Amino acid sequence: MDIFITLFYILFCICVVYPPSEFVSAGFTIPQIFDGYLASENVNFIGYHLKRITITCCLHSLLPLGYFFTLWCGGERGLWLQYAAGCAALIPVMFLYHLCSWYENNKKNHPVVRSLIPYVPEGSDWRIIAVDFNREFRSVDKISIPLSATSKFVATPTWLIKVTQYSVNAVKQEDAALVATATDSHDFSTSGEDEVQYVNIEVIPSREDVKKFTFRITTTALRDLQPHLQRAVRVPEHISLLPTLIERFIKVFKQHVEQNPVYYTDQELELCIGCMQNQADVKLNKRCEPVVLEGDQAEQPPCQQCNCRALWCCACMARWWAARAGAAGAWLAARGSCPVCRAVFCLQDVCPARPVTS
């Protein structure tokens, strides 16, 4: 019986400390249970995490004592249980003593406040920095990337913030350099891609009084993060980032297009109307016959002649194609429609466009 209670309690502790997605969706996490007391993180970030970290540490310190209480409720009796429970009770008592030190001197020893202290001018109050911090966190010009069920990384116009169960790391963007240190790839992902790559990034402050920290995100999240950074993430030469699914498709799409006959035009090739960066370099020119699929599948719509001039670059045409081609595995075999006149075309109809040279 004790073995079953012990196994059950270990599983319970793991779910409390590292809640799985089922617990998160059911609202059985410490921040969700105490949501009414913690109030809104978006309104008062500093105050929210002051209370959240305190509650989290208090409850986690009670878990060892809760184990012996569970044994007692399960019928276990004995002098050893009393001594063990007494020793376990010392853990929350010691934490309460540590908690008192957090709130001494105007809460300056609290983990959240300690992350702000380096940026507090001498003789000033850390609450002044906290007010500006909260105001900036309320703005929409930020990005929040979940790292796990209990941690996340946030980038605001001024700050880089890592939130964990027991601490908050904060550094100003102007004082930090982000460096990719390692990568690892996995064949399965919840996003539907066949492969996902994670990048370990180290945030290195230029100030000695600010602690460095690390976080781990996917390459897709890294690309979303880059526009919100004042300095780009440095990627050493020995580390290669996995291209996204659409980037890999664009490469294959270009290879197939290059095999088609060149379409020469006497019109001047202007900038692509999709990205306005690259020169338009593809023309839709009907070259194929309708294809009849085997089995119960219906005949694909026949290709049509597109009379539009060359308006798109190959990369933008590939993105347009992929956005309307359905499942990724059937992108190349699908058919698209001209972005302007909606004429149906297949991959054989996408020809490289070149100006006529005299």
Side-chain angles (χ1 to χ4, degrees):
M1 184 66 179
D2 294 347
I3 296 178
F4 291 109
I5 294 177
T6 301
L7 293 176
F8 167 79
Y9 197 80
I10 291 175
L11 180 62
F12 171 78
C13 290
I14 292 174
C15 292
V16 170
V17 178
Y18 302 104
S21 57
E22 292 78 10
F23 273 50
V24 176
S25 59
F28 193 71
T29 63
I30 292 175
Q32 290 170 316
I33 293 174
F34 292 91
D35 180 67
Y37 171 70
L38 297 177
S40 173
E41 179 191 39
N42 198 54
V43 174
N44 185 2
F45 178 89
I46 299 300
Y48 175 91
H49 288 287
L50 279 170
K51 293 184 287 188
R52 180 193 63 81
I53 291 176
T54 301
I55 292 174
T56 300
C57 293
C58 285
L59 294 180
H60 288 183
S61 68
L62 290 171
L63 290 176
L65 181 61
Y67 168 67
F68 297 105
F69 179 74
T70 304
L71 287 177
W72 183 81
C73 292
E76 181 66 29
R77 298 291 186 273
L79 190 61
W80 72 270
L81 185 63
Q82 300 177 22
Y83 287 120
C87 293
L90 293 177
I91 298 177
V93 171
M94 293 174 61
F95 172 73
L96 288 177
Y97 174 79
H98 189 60
L99 183 63
C100 292
S101 67
W102 280 4
Y103 284 83
E104 288 179 348
N105 300 322
N106 201 17
K107 304 179 183 178
K108 289 185 177 179
N109 293 323
H110 196 283
V112 177
V113 179
R114 284 206 306 264
S115 65
L116 300 179
I117 291 297
Y119 297 100
V120 178
E122 187 175 355
S124 183
D125 194 326
W126 64 267
R127 289 185 177 87
I128 298 176
I129 300 295
V131 170
D132 295 335
F133 194 103
N134 292 334
R135 184 185 301 113
E136 183 169 317
F137 190 83
R138 286 195 294 269
S139 70
V140 296
D141 191 18
K142 69 174 184 290
I143 183 172
S144 178
I145 302 174
L147 305 178
S148 67
T150 57
S151 63
K152 63 182 177 181
F153 180 82
V154 182
T156 70
T158 305
W159 296 89
L160 300 176
I161 312 157
K162 181 184 177 183
V163 178
T164 63
Q165 288 203 92
Y166 308 122
S167 66
V168 171
N169 297 99
V171 60
K172 285 191 173 181
Q173 292 213 35
E174 60 187 17
D175 297 332
L178 283 74
V179 181
T181 58
T183 60
D184 56 284
S185 300
H186 304 273
D187 293 334
F188 301 100
S189 73
T190 56
S191 62
E193 298 190 16
D194 56 351
E195 186 176 8
V196 61
Q197 183 186 53
Y198 288 89
V199 186
N200 295 341
I201 299 176
E202 185 173 16
V203 181
I204 306 175
S206 58
R207 302 177 51 137
E208 296 182 355
D209 53 355
V210 179
K211 293 183 179 179
K212 64 181 180 180
F213 57 92
T214 60
F215 61 96
R216 180 172 177 265
I217 59 175
T218 64
T219 51
T220 302
L222 176 59
R223 291 181 176 90
D224 295 335
L225 174 64
Q226 290 278 20
H228 297 268
L229 299 177
Q230 295 181 9
R231 302 176 183 177
V233 177
R234 295 208 302 262
V235 181
E237 294 182 355
H238 68 278
I239 294 178
S240 59
L241 299 182
L242 182 72
T244 62
L245 181 62
I246 187 63
E247 289 173 342
R248 283 177 279 168
F249 173 72
I250 290 174
K251 182 179 179 180
V252 175
F253 188 87
K254 288 181 177 180
Q255 293 174 351
H256 281 78
V257 170
E258 290 172 357
Q259 298 174 7
N260 294 336
V262 176
Y263 181 91
Y264 292 97
T265 177
D266 56 358
Q267 297 176 335
E268 182 182 357
L269 296 178
E270 301 176 354
L271 289 178
C272 168
I273 64 174
C275 62
M276 296 302 294
Q277 295 178 351
N278 303 321
Q279 186 183 51
D281 58 4
V282 292
K283 171 70 172 74
L284 301 181
N285 185 34
K286 183 177 181 299
R287 299 180 50 249
C288 68
E289 298 296 332
V291 178
V292 179
L293 301 178
E294 298 180 357
D296 299 332
Q297 296 181 353
E299 181 179 348
Q300 289 187 357
C303 292
Q304 301 169 339
Q305 178 60 44
C306 173
N307 297 317
C308 302
R309 59 191 179 91
L311 299 172
W312 301 81
C313 67
C314 192
C316 287
M317 184 63 72
R319 291 188 180 92
W320 173 270
W321 177 291
R324 289 155 179 80
W331 279 355
L332 292 175
R335 296 204 175 197
S337 60
C338 173
V340 178
C341 69
R342 296 298 189 268
V344 178
F345 68 94
C346 67
L347 191 56
Q348 298 181 39
D349 301 333
V350 186
C351 299
R354 301 289 185 271
V356 176
T357 57
S358 55

